[in-house]
C-alpha cells in the first residue's frame, strides 16, 4: 500500500501548486469521519468546504450514483434528461425560481448568472446596461468573470485585464450600493453570508434594503448561495432567513452530495432571456450528476437535516461561546446554522495544523477566522469532541 508520505512526494512532482495542501491524504470517508492513506482517522469539520452536507458517502447518494452509472452516465444536452428535469422541478418547487440551468461548479453557475443578467438587461434596457455591483471581501469563483466579480485583490492580482463592468462596495452597507448605481448598472450580486471572506453575517435589514434598491432601480438581485445553500444555514436557502427572494440564485457545493455540479435558477421573466445557443455546458446537468443531486436534496428533507442544522448550529455556537469566555484570543463567534466562524486575534494557520495532528479537520479563512462547516449530520458528541480539541489548541496557542 502507498503511504501518505509517498503520495505527497509524487504530488510534489506532478500536481500544479494551486493549493498550499496540508500533508494529509484522505482515502475513505463515512459520516463526519475520514481516514487517510496511513489509516489515521479525522473528525471532519470542513466537510470538503461545505460540500459534504450529508456527511461522507451518504448511502442514498452512493446508491443513486451506482445505479445511474450502470444505466447512462452521459448523453448530451441536445436531448432531454429525466433526472435533470426532476431536479429542476424539485429546486423550483422549493424556491422562487421558475427555471434552472445546470453546469459543473460554483464559478460556472455564477458565470451563467452574470451572462443571463447582462443579456436580459441589454435586451430590455439597451447595450449600456451591463455593470454589476458586488461586495468587498466577496468570493464568486476563479474564472475570469467570477474573479472580476470577486472583491478580493489576492484573487485578482496577476490576471489583468479583468472583465470590465464590476463595481465593488463594502458588504453590509446598503447606502454604498445605492450610491454606486448608475445608468450602466444591471444587477447586484451578493453572498447572503460571505464564506471565504470570513463568515460575514449580514447586518439586520441589509438584504431587505438591497432588495428594495434593486426593485427601485429595476436591477436584478443575484444571490450566490453556492456555499450557503442546501441546508447549510438551517433553511434550504439562506435568503429564507431574511424574508426576501432574489431574481437569480446560484448553487453548487453541496448540491450533489459531493459530486461536481452547479445550478443557476431564475424567475421566468429573466430565464426567458436564454434562448437556444446563447449558453451551454457539455457536462452540465448530465444524468449521473443530476441523479446524485436528486438523491442528495431528497435526503436533506427525508432526514430532517434543515432542522438538524439549526439545532446543531445553536449547540456549536453555544460551545464556541464557552471557549470565547475562556480564551482571550477568541474575538467573536458568528454564523447562522452550521456555517460558523470564530474570529481570533492571531492568524489561525497554526491552530489548524495542530488540529490535524489531533485528528480534527478544520479551516481558517481570511487569515484569522476559524471556519466550522461540519456535515449537517454531525452529532452533539462529535461537536463536544471537536470543541474539546479546540479548547486545548487555544490554550496552547497562548490564551
Ligand atoms: C466555493 C464558492 C464559489 C466557487 O465554486 P467552485 O465550485 O469552486 O467554482 C463561488 N461562490 C461561493 C460563495 C463559494 O463559496
Amino acid at each position: 500500500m502507498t503511504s501518505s508520505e509517498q503520495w505527497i512526494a509524487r504530488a510534489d512532482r506532478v500536481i500544479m501548486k494551486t493549493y498550499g495542501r496540508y500533508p494529509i491524504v484522505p482515502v475513505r470517508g463515512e459520516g463526519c469521519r475520514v481516514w487517510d492513506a496511513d489509516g489515521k482517522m479525522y473528525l471532519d469539520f470542513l466537510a470538503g468546504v461545505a460540500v459534504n452536507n450529508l456527511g461522507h458517502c451518504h448511502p442514498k447518494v452512493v446508491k443513486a450514483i451506482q445505479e445511474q452509472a450502470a444505466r447512462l452516465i452521459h448523453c448530451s444536452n441536445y436531448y432531454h434528461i429525466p433526472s435533470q428535469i426532476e431536479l429542476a422541478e424539485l429546486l423550483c418547487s422549493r424556491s422562487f425560481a421558475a427555471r434552472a440551468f445546470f453546469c459543473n461548479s460554483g464559478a460556472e453557475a455564477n458565470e451563467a448568472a452574470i451572462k443571463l443578467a447582462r443579456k436580459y438587461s441589454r435586451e430590455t434596457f439597451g447595450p449600456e446596461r451591463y455593470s454589476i455591483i458586488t461586495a468587498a471581501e466577496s468570493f464568486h469563483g476563479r474564472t475570469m468573470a467570477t474573479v472580476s466579480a470577486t472583491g478580493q485583490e489576492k484573487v485578482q492580482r496577476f490576471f489583468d485585464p479583468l472583465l470590465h463592468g464590476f463595481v465593488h462596495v463594502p458588504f453590509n452597507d446598503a447606502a454604498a450600493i445605492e450610491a454606486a448605481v448608475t445608468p450602466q448598472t444591471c444587477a447586484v450580486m451578493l453572498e447572503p453570508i460571505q464564506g471565504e471572506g470570513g463568515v460575514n453575517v449580514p447586518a439586520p435589514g441589509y438584504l431587505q434594503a438591497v432588495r428594495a434598491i434593486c426593485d427601485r432601480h429595476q436591477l436584478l438581485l443575484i444571490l450566490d448561495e453556492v456555499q450557503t445553500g442546501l441546508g447549510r444555514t438551517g433553511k434550504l436557502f439562506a435568503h429564507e432567513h431574511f424574508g426576501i427572494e432574489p431574481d437569480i440564485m446560484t448553487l453548487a457545493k453541496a448540491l450533489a452530495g459531493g459530486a461536481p455540479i452547479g445550478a443557476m435558477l431564475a424567475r421566468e421573466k429573466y430565464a426567458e432571456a436564454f434562448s437556444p445557443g446563447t449558453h451551454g455546458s457539455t457536462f452540465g446537468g448530465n444524468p449521473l450528476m443530476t441523479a446524485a443531486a436528486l438523491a442528495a436534496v431528497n435526503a436533506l428533507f427525508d432526514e430532517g437535516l434543515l432542522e438538524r442544522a439549526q439545532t446543531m448550529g445553536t449547540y456549536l455556537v453555544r460551545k464556541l461561546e464557552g471557549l470565547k469566555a475562556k480564551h482571550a484570543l477568541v474575538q467573536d463567534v458568528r454564523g447562522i446554522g452550521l456555517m460558523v466562524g470564530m474570529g481570533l486575534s492571531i492568524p489561525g494557520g497554526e491552530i489548524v495544523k495542530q488540529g490535524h495532528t489531533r485528528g480534527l479537520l478544520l479551516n481558517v479563512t481570511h487569515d484569522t477566522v476559524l471556519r466550522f462547516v461540519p456535515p449537517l449530520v454531525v452529532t452533539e458528541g462529535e461537536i463536544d469532541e471537536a470543541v474539546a480539541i479546540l479548547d486545548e489548541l487555544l490554550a496552547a496557542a497562548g490564551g
Side-chain angles (χ1 to χ4, degrees):
M1 254 199 13
T2 312
S3 70
S4 296
E5 199 182 316
Q6 289 167 322
W7 282 124
I8 292 163
R10 285 164 66 176
D12 276 345
R13 290 194 288 273
V14 293
I15 301 297
M16 286 212 194
K17 299 172 182 173
T18 52
Y19 283 82
R21 293 173 198 264
Y22 297 110
I24 299 174
V25 187
V27 292
R28 184 167 72 81
E30 193 185 319
C32 296
R33 312 259 172 192
V34 293
W35 287 262
D36 73 11
D38 306 322
K40 177 173 171 180
M41 185 175 79
Y42 296 85
L43 182 57
D44 187 0
F45 267 53
L46 180 58
V49 195
V51 166
N52 299 107
N53 283 13
L54 299 172
H56 291 278
C57 298
H58 189 284
K60 287 179 187 160
V61 175
V62 171
K63 182 159 175 278
I65 290 175
Q66 285 173 337
E67 288 180 1
Q68 187 61 48
R71 209 178 301 128
L72 181 68
I73 294 176
H74 182 82
C75 55
S76 165
N77 281 306
Y78 284 123
Y79 312 109
H80 294 279
I81 299 170
S83 50
Q84 181 185 115
I85 297 163
E86 287 189 283
L87 179 61
E89 286 172 347
L90 178 58
L91 293 173
C92 290
S93 75
R94 297 280 186 173
S95 72
F96 67 94
R99 292 180 189 272
F101 168 83
F102 293 104
C103 48
N104 313 289
S105 67
E108 277 179 76
N110 287 332
E111 285 273 344
I114 292 164
K115 287 178 75 175
L116 183 66
R118 282 191 168 185
K119 186 164 183 295
Y120 169 83
S121 300
R122 148 183 290 265
E123 287 168 354
T124 309
F125 302 105
E128 297 307 314
R129 193 143 154 159
Y130 56 80
S131 183
I132 299 179
I133 298 171
T134 70
E137 312 303 341
S138 60
F139 182 78
H140 298 295
R142 298 289 192 164
T143 61
M144 282 308 301
T146 57
V147 155
S148 307
T150 292
Q152 296 190 48
E153 203 264 339
K154 69 169 196 254
V155 170
Q156 300 182 330
R157 112 186 116 188
F158 313 122
F159 302 113
D160 281 339
L162 298 179
L163 193 67
H164 178 62
F166 291 93
V167 177
H168 300 111
V169 299
F171 187 64
N172 268 339
D173 185 348
I177 292 180
E178 180 79 57
V181 174
T182 70
Q184 277 77 50
T185 310
C186 80
V188 176
M189 179 164 164
L190 296 171
E191 298 154 83
I193 302 165
Q194 292 189 328
E196 304 308 302
V199 192
N200 302 321
V201 175
Y206 174 62
L207 291 171
Q208 293 88 332
V210 176
R211 176 73 267 181
I213 292 167
C214 289
D215 291 343
R216 197 153 57 241
H217 297 282
Q218 292 184 281
L219 311 176
L220 283 82
L221 177 58
I222 304 169
L223 289 184
D224 176 347
E225 294 237 22
V226 166
Q227 187 162 154
T228 53
L230 287 319
R232 174 54 54 193
T233 67
K235 304 263 189 204
L236 190 56
F237 307 115
H239 66 259
E240 296 170 29
H241 288 285
F242 308 101
I244 56 138
E245 288 177 339
D247 301 303
I248 296 178
M249 170 172 69
T250 55
L251 301 173
K253 289 192 164 84
L255 182 52
I261 191 171
M264 186 271 287
L265 294 104
R267 293 176 193 279
E268 181 68 16
K269 176 172 149 189
Y270 306 112
E272 290 283 329
F274 271 173
S275 49
T278 52
H279 194 51
S281 167
T282 297
F283 288 122
N286 94 354
L288 189 61
M289 294 312 150
T290 46
L294 255 183
V297 178
N298 279 320
L300 285 176
F301 292 111
D302 295 346
E303 295 172 22
L305 293 180
L306 306 187
E307 298 74 25
R308 197 178 173 80
Q310 296 205 359
T311 52
M312 289 300 126
T314 304
Y315 186 76
L316 174 61
V317 166
R318 185 152 58 80
K319 288 283 174 167
L320 295 178
E321 289 285 358
L323 294 185
K324 179 176 170 244
K326 228 171 127 180
H327 301 283
L329 57 81
V330 179
Q331 302 298 294
D332 73 332
V333 176
R334 56 197 189 237
I336 304 182
L338 277 172
M339 183 167 179
V340 179
M342 176 187 256
L344 303 177
S345 57
I346 57 164
E350 194 51 37
I351 289 179
V352 168
K353 281 188 196 159
Q354 294 305 321
H356 293 162
T357 315
R358 298 287 312 272
L360 174 65
L361 299 184
L362 73 166
N363 168 256
V364 61
T365 184
H366 222 247
D367 196 36
T368 56
V369 182
L370 295 180
R371 174 171 46 177
F372 304 90
V373 282
L376 312 185
V377 296
V378 72
T379 62
E380 285 189 3
E382 285 161 339
I383 290 174
D384 290 345
E385 193 181 328
V387 168
I389 294 171
L390 194 58
D391 192 5
E392 289 172 26
L393 298 179
L394 288 167

